[in-house]
Amino acid sequence: MSGGLGWPLLLEGQQPPGDPLAVLQSGCSEAERSTALRQLADAAAGGSPTALNQYAAGLFTVGRVDEAERVWRALQTERPGTAVAGLNLATCHLAAGRLDECARVLRDCRDGAPAGSRQRELAEWRIAELDEARNGAARQTRLLELRAAALRERVRLGLAGLEDLKQLARVLYALTQVPDSGVTGRDLLDAARRAREAAPGDPEVLEILVLGQLVAGSDVEFAAALRELERFAPHSRVLDMARRTRTDTGFQDEVRARSARMREVARRAFAGDRVAEDELRLESQKFPENFQYRVDLLFAVYNRGDREEARRLADGLAAEPSADHYVHFHIAQFYWFLGERERSRRHFALAYETAVTEGDREDVREAVRTVGAGDPEELGLR
């Protein structure tokens, strides 16, 4: 949470009319955007710090924040004295909600710039702005936490009415946007489902439920909830927002970039990187309905040799009412590695039953043969 704080990107030199970055900043068609990004990438290929900074700024402008971060990091590494790249990298961290990283980069920029220079003054101003925003956000977060605690107590005592249930879900939604708040997408979904039980056709409750599914990464109920919201509140702003997540190219670019980044985090975690494992654990807690994160964490922990935690993670996945083919397929193999043969076979059977395509079913049969779990046909996997 950055309290609405935002900083303009820093560029070097003048941008002539028709400059690719100016095109991106002014709003353009998808074809124009692709052309402008390609022009910026071609210019950056020569290694000029100015061109690399402009390419990163273009990526940032279209929402490809992770890619922009990589370019600015590389530029900082190759040219440690490039203050503009460091200040833009701090802006990148701010946009991604990584405020500790933002503060660290700003301090490095301040300490590395000459006394009295414009870069040092700008870094100092931004450090002060960030501190002020974080202090304000901390006060707001504390108020939200106190409100959530009071509402949860009303629920526990059986005193909560429908408005209390709605308010609790809204407060929890706000807290899911706060890094390290401890409130997960599962907490939000539980509150939204409780409100829905109290008022099944209430449009506001359905909106909260859709938001909960977006935050938790739940695809199982999402389509059905959207149809229900469309029936009861066809002009809902939340419905429009949810639809845009499926059609907005900028949003889709962000999703693809995040997906690629999380695949890299999972790869590093599996290779034994504990920092990456901790990040994967945090993301799986924030998005408990994203089974990919939880399965990746399970095998990273198992590969590290912590069978006790791996077993807890696997049992948690096995107990999920919405566990799908992907979950059953992977924990079946995990239980086989642990020597729990019958439990493994049960999950192979569930993986087969929940398979959507013939290719998925063949994957199950092949896995059964590979681990030596028996003849697939004898297990009913025909």
Side-chain angles (χ1 to χ4, degrees), residues 355-376:
V356 175
T357 68
E358 180 54 34
D360 289 341
R361 286 186 281 275
E362 179 53 35
D363 286 344
V364 177
R365 289 191 287 262
E366 182 60 29
V368 167
R369 286 190 288 265
T370 300
V371 302
D375 185 332

Side-chain angles (χ1 to χ4, degrees), residues 10-22 25 40 50-51 53-54:
L10 301 178
L11 303 173
E12 297 171 295
Q14 296 296 316
Q15 290 179 257
D19 177 83
L21 183 55
Q25 291 171 331
L40 289 171
T50 298
N53 184 57
Q54 286 203 315

Side-chain angles (χ1 to χ4, degrees), residues 244-257:
R244 284 198 300 273
T245 66
R246 301 301 173 96
T247 59
D248 185 284
T249 54
F251 178 83
Q252 291 170 357
D253 286 343
E254 288 182 39
V255 170
R256 282 191 287 271

